Amino acid sequence: MSDVPVPSRRAPRKKLKMPLFGGMGGGTSANKDDFFGKNFGSILIAMTGMAFAAQIFLPNIWSEKVYNEADEITEMAWNGTIRKKYTDAKHKSEIHYYLVIKGEKGKKQIVDLVEADPVFFDQIAVPQRVTKAANSLDVLVQRFTKPDTTLRIKFIE
């Protein structure tokens, strides 16, 4: 026939193994004593259940108190700086005006002025310091470019 040399056949390559799945093809290369290979389905179901439970319970545990009623805001005492100021309008008839006030020692208060007149919200800005005594609606606003001003929170009935 021909005098062309034919290369000898190579031994077959080893099957690839994935870390948690073991030998995917089964057969002789699969390790029967592998913990994750044997119980992978039950471990996957347990981890999925824990993830769903965390999504349900952790937001309620980590959420912060939002002060939104007129009585709560009146009884509060503010002494800190405004860190965030934003609005949320899910419905056109109800607009929420939020202030995040960071007080002394890093204490954070979130105030929702949904029942208040928006004039107060419009007259303050983010880097300003605010001071309010308990059981009072007068807020002393320390501004950088203008003299300090006392603003009054008015609630809409």
Side-chain angles (χ1 to χ4, degrees), residues 3 7 9 47 55 59 67 71 75 94 96 100 115 127 132 139 142 147:
D3 294 332
R9 293 191 52 100
M47 291 181 69
Q55 286 181 347
Y67 301 96
D71 296 335
E75 292 173 1
E94 188 174 295
H96 294 266
V100 178
E115 298 177 1
K132 176 185 161 312
V139 179
Q142 298 174 357

Side-chain angles (χ1 to χ4, degrees), residues 51-67:
F52 280 128
Q55 286 181 347
I56 292 171
F57 295 114
L58 286 181
N60 294 336
I61 294 170
W62 289 341
S63 66
E64 297 183 36
K65 172 81 170 116
V66 177
Y67 301 96

Side-chain angles (χ1 to χ4, degrees), residues 18-135:
M18 292 183 66
L20 293 178
F21 294 102
M24 292 285 293
T28 59
S29 64
N31 187 2
K32 301 297 181 192
D33 296 330
D34 187 18
F35 177 74
F36 288 111
K38 191 188 302 180
N39 297 324
F40 183 71
S42 60
I43 291 172
L44 184 65
I45 291 171
M47 291 181 69
T48 305
M50 289 190 312
F52 280 128
Q55 286 181 347
I56 292 171
F57 295 114
L58 286 181
N60 294 336
I61 294 170
W62 289 341
S63 66
E64 297 183 36
K65 172 81 170 116
V66 177
Y67 301 96
N68 58 357
E69 295 180 9
D71 296 335
E72 290 178 335
I73 295 172
T74 305
E75 292 173 1
M76 288 177 67
W78 300 347
N79 188 10
T81 54
I82 299 173
R83 291 296 177 197
K84 287 184 185 176
K85 172 186 167 182
Y86 59 95
T87 59
D88 184 17
K90 292 180 182 174
H91 302 287
K92 291 180 180 180
S93 62
E94 188 174 295
I95 300 174
H96 294 266
Y97 301 97
Y98 290 101
L99 292 175
V100 178
I101 301 169
K102 189 169 184 182
E104 296 172 352
K105 299 179 184 173
K107 184 180 177 186
K108 195 172 15 172
Q109 296 173 327
I110 301 174
V111 180
D112 182 7
L113 300 170
V114 67
E115 298 177 1
D117 190 16
V119 173
F120 173 75
F121 185 78
D122 293 336
Q123 292 179 349
I124 56 176
V126 171
Q128 296 173 342
R129 292 192 51 80
V130 290
T131 306
K132 176 185 161 312
N135 297 324

